[in-house]
């Protein structure tokens, strides 16, 4: 076999694990790795970013839309610290992302070399698995372990620190092999205990008003079809967390929509309030989804299906715990329920009627705002335009600030699956533009729209250069309201409107975008929103629409509780 060094071995291991794209930023300790990428024929496209944080967010969204692990990389020192936010978000969102950071040479450890820090200790509490390489023969095993950890059980993020000198040492090519099946997720699916499945089926059939609450685990497990079949069988309403968007198509007659403090509305709260049984599926029952553990109420029967047993019974006393994959679990429950359908109570609620009532009330409220001609522009008008204009194959990526509650509540996705992405685990600003790039590389057949506030734009606008250089046809919408809106709204409701250090000067985002070579529009008149977004979507390259919009504390945003 041809001789190879450690950097060559790393590239080959990534190639054998099906990696087609790497997002990252160069540094001096990464030079051997970059040289291997330059020399070898591997079929991997390296996307040079302008910030390591961006590389992490790109890899995250790439993994979400492809069903394959995302890979990002960065250099030692500051690069290793900047890459971390993306891996933290991915890990908490159960998204498989491998972060590779180069490191100082093994021989220089403890001698105060430039950029030295304990990378393994830094990443240990914030990833599913991580390691620091000490010898070149450890590289293949480390990569195999990383891919196994990312794709099995609850998916998550992993990290490998690779010293500069180890990249240059000779590696035995016989050690370079990959385990089939770890290039997609979830791998090694498991089913819940059959006796617990039987108990769950008995309770579901006996319930007068069962309701499903679905989190991101449904989409991650590709369990949408099994959910549809079971909900339809029981004629039971389906509600979702923010991350559970896509569990069913928006038009499904049993989909009530998003519930919780972020994106929930009064009409959907009524659906969950009338439940006598709730089945959580791939959801953690966290504070946002459950209105700070008030909905569902404590006297409701709780069933919980999740691949991670640590999420079950954390926040609610659980009557039936179902540990396993959402797809296999829902299929098994569906089969058991089907055998018992003759025992459904005669006074069981009609889920379709309950959902239709809730959706009608929500739509009437939304329509009045979406058609408003008031200035500044109401965010609902932007959501309404996208609902009308986006093709079926579309992905909307929303930052967690101003855009998130509007799109969680009102965005229409005609198909089940990953059509809406937001970083709900930690809510860092500056996510959507970079994540939009990752989604674009992962799904080049889709129209990808990144929606952000102007606070987020300021975090990440350097990636406009990446977008133009790589010809990424990303469409971007900025809600320009000159404020860190979530905090100002919290100061209004919790602190008597004592606003402090939340306002900043308005930027002309369209001119900034044009300076990078992006086609851009600035919109101040509500009547121009539809036309500008239509033109941006029709443009054959990257485009940005700067919308002069309401400040969040003055809107009818679907948020039931701010920070107090």
């Amino acid at each position: 076999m041809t001789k190879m060094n450690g950097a060559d071995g790393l590239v080959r291991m990534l190639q054998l694990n099906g990696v087609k794209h790497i997002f990252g930023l160069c540094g001096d300790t990464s030079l051997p790795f970059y040289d291997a990428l330059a020399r070898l024929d591997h079929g991997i496209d390296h996307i040079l970013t302008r910030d390591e944080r961006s590389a992490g967010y790109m890899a995250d969204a790439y993994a979400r839309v492809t069903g394959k692990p995302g890979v990002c990389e960065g250099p030692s020192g500051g690069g290793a610290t900047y890459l971390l936010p993306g891996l933290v978000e991915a890990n908490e969102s159960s998204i498989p992302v491998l972060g590779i950071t180069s490191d100082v040479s093994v021989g220089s450890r403890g001698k105060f070399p430039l950029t030295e820090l304990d990378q393994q200790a830094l990443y240990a509490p914030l990833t599913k698995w991580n390691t620091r390489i000490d010898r070149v023969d450890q590289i293949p095993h480390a990569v195999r372990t990383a891919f196994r950890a990312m794709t099995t059980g609850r998916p998550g993020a992993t990290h490998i620190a690779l010293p500069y000198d180890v990249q240059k040492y000779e590696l035995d090519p016989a050690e370079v092999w990959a385990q089939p099946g770890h290039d997609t997720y979830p791998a090694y699916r498991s089913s819940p205990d059959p006796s617990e499945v039987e108990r769950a089926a008995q309770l579901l059939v006996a319930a007068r008003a069962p309701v499903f609450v679905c989190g991101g685990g449904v989409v991650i497990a590709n369990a949408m079809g099994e959910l549809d079949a079971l909900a339809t069988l029981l004629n039971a309403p389906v509600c979702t967390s923010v991350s559970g968007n896509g569990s069913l198509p928006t038009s499904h007659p049993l989909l009530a929509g998003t519930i919780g403090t972020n994106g929930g509305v009064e009409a959907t709260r009524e659906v969950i309030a009338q439940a006598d049984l709730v089945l959580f599926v791939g959801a953690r029952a966290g504070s946002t989804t459950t209105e700070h553990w008030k909905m569902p109420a404590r006297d409701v029967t709780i069933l919980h299906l999740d691949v991670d047993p640590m999420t079950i019974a954390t926040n609610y006393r659980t009557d039936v715990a179902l540990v396993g994959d959402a797809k296999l679990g829902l299929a098994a429950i569906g089969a058991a329920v089907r055998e018992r359908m003759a025992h459904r109570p005669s006074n069981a609620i009609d889920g379709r009627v309950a959902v239709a009532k809730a959706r009608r009330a929500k739509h009437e409220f939304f329509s009045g705002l979406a058609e408003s001609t008031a200035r500044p522009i109401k965010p609902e008008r932007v959501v309404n335009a996208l609902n009308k204009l986006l093709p079926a194959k579309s992905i909307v990526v929303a930052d967690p600030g101003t855009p998130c509650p509007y799109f969680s509540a009102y965005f229409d996705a005609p198909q089940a699956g990953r059509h809406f992405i937001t970083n709900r685990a930690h809510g860092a600003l500056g996510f959507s533009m970079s994540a939009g790039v990752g989604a674009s590389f992962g799904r080049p057949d889709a129209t990808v729209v990144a929606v952000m506030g102007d606070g987020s734009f300021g975090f990440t606008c350097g990636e406009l250069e990446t977008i133009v250089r790589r010809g990424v046809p990303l469409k971007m919408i900025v809600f320009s309201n000159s404020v860190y809106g979530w905090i100002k709204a919290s100061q209004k409701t919790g602190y008597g409107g004592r606003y402090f250090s939340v306002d900043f000067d308005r930027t002309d985002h369209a001119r900034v975008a044009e300076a990078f070579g992006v086609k851009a529009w600035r919109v101040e008149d509500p009547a121009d929103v539809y036309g500008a977004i239509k033109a941006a979507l029709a443009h054959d390259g990257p485009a940005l629409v700067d919308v002069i919009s309401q400040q969040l504390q003055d809107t009818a945003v679907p948020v039931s509780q701010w920070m107090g």
Side-chain angles (χ1 to χ4, degrees), residues 133-220:
I133 302 294
D134 294 313
R135 304 190 316 268
V136 69
D137 63 318
Q138 296 173 332
I139 292 174
H141 179 72
V143 176
R144 285 192 292 269
T145 305
F147 275 84
R148 184 171 70 253
M150 282 190 289
T151 59
T152 59
R154 184 182 76 84
T158 60
H159 165 254
I160 295 173
L162 186 60
Y164 175 79
D165 54 351
V166 171
Q167 297 176 57
K168 302 175 79 171
Y169 296 151
E170 187 173 339
L171 174 66
D172 181 359
E175 295 298 319
V176 178
W177 55 271
Q179 172 61 37
H182 292 164
D183 56 341
T184 60
Y185 70 99
Y188 303 164
R189 296 178 187 262
S190 59
S191 293
D193 183 334
S195 64
E196 297 303 292
V197 169
E198 295 295 321
R199 290 184 59 224
Q202 290 173 0
L203 290 170
L204 280 165
V205 169
R208 187 187 67 82
V211 174
F212 293 78
V213 175
C214 299
V218 172
V219 179
I220 289 170

Side-chain angles (χ1 to χ4, degrees), residues 291-304:
E291 304 266 357
H292 295 273
W293 307 289
K294 297 183 182 72
M295 300 182 76
R298 294 293 174 176
D299 59 348
V300 171
T301 299
I302 299 293
L303 318 181
H304 199 153

Side-chain angles (χ1 to χ4, degrees), residues 29 74-84 101-105 108-124 130-132 159 161-163:
T29 52
S76 55
T81 64
Y82 291 160
L83 196 68
L84 186 56
T101 52
S102 54
D103 202 356
V104 299
S105 294
S108 65
R109 290 176 188 164
K111 299 178 180 178
F112 308 111
L114 184 67
T115 72
E116 181 180 22
L117 57 83
D118 189 340
Q119 294 187 20
Q120 188 169 12
L122 175 68
Y123 280 82
N130 106 103
T131 192
R132 181 176 67 178
H159 165 254
L162 186 60

Side-chain angles (χ1 to χ4, degrees), residues 39-383:
R39 285 185 290 102
L40 301 178
D41 181 12
H42 44 66
I44 299 173
D45 184 8
H46 183 276
I47 294 90
L48 174 65
T49 67
R50 300 300 299 270
D51 188 302
E52 290 89 350
R53 290 176 303 173
S54 302
Y57 295 145
M58 290 176 191
D60 178 326
Y62 180 90
R64 294 189 198 224
V65 303
T66 61
K68 298 169 61 67
V71 180
C72 54
E73 59 85 20
S76 55
T81 64
Y82 291 160
L83 196 68
L84 186 56
L87 268 66
V88 171
E89 177 63 38
N91 195 54
E92 286 298 303
S93 300
S94 301
I95 303 300
V97 172
L98 168 60
I100 301 167
T101 52
S102 54
D103 202 356
V104 299
S105 294
V106 174
S108 65
R109 290 176 188 164
K111 299 178 180 178
F112 308 111
L114 184 67
T115 72
E116 181 180 22
L117 57 83
D118 189 340
Q119 294 187 20
Q120 188 169 12
L122 175 68
Y123 280 82
L126 302 171
T127 54
K128 186 178 179 183
W129 178 87
N130 106 103
T131 192
R132 181 176 67 178
I133 302 294
D134 294 313
R135 304 190 316 268
V136 69
D137 63 318
Q138 296 173 332
I139 292 174
H141 179 72
V143 176
R144 285 192 292 269
T145 305
F147 275 84
R148 184 171 70 253
M150 282 190 289
T151 59
T152 59
R154 184 182 76 84
T158 60
H159 165 254
I160 295 173
L162 186 60
Y164 175 79
D165 54 351
V166 171
Q167 297 176 57
K168 302 175 79 171
Y169 296 151
E170 187 173 339
L171 174 66
D172 181 359
E175 295 298 319
V176 178
W177 55 271
Q179 172 61 37
H182 292 164
D183 56 341
T184 60
Y185 70 99
Y188 303 164
R189 296 178 187 262
S190 59
S191 293
D193 183 334
S195 64
E196 297 303 292
V197 169
E198 295 295 321
R199 290 184 59 224
Q202 290 173 0
L203 290 170
L204 280 165
V205 169
R208 187 187 67 82
V211 174
F212 293 78
V213 175
C214 299
V218 172
V219 179
I220 289 170
N222 194 29
M224 295 80 73
E226 288 75 13
L227 171 66
D228 189 343
L230 179 56
T232 300
L233 187 62
L234 289 165
N235 191 17
V238 175
C239 303
T240 76
S241 69
V242 174
S243 299
N245 271 277
S247 296
L248 291 176
T250 304
S251 60
H252 196 288
L254 288 171
L255 181 66
T258 302
I259 58 170
T261 58
N262 188 337
V265 298
E266 193 57 41
T268 51
R269 287 185 195 99
E270 291 177 4
V271 173
I272 193 74
Q274 52 92 54
D276 63 352
L277 178 149
V278 167
L279 170 57
F280 287 106
V281 185
R284 298 188 295 187
S287 61
T288 299
T289 304
T290 63
E291 304 266 357
H292 295 273
W293 307 289
K294 297 183 182 72
M295 300 182 76
R298 294 293 174 176
D299 59 348
V300 171
T301 299
I302 299 293
L303 318 181
H304 199 153
L305 168 62
D306 203 286
V307 72
D308 181 4
M310 290 302 291
T311 66
I312 298 175
T314 297
N315 294 321
Y316 282 87
R317 187 191 65 80
T318 301
D319 295 273
V320 182
L322 300 145
V323 180
D325 174 77
K327 187 180 184 72
L328 298 185
L330 287 171
I333 296 168
V337 165
R338 193 170 291 108
E339 294 176 355
R340 294 172 168 80
M341 282 301 291
H343 303 293
R344 285 288 282 148
S346 59
N347 64 339
I349 67 161
D350 187 330
R352 285 171 173 78
V353 172
V355 167
K357 177 184 176 183
R359 287 167 57 156
R360 187 164 53 249
K362 182 166 77 168
H363 180 73
E364 287 174 359
F365 180 74
F366 171 70
S367 295
L369 297 165
E371 295 166 7
S372 171
T373 57
R375 299 193 190 193
I377 296 165
K378 294 186 183 298
E380 291 90 347
R381 197 170 184 97
V382 174
V383 181

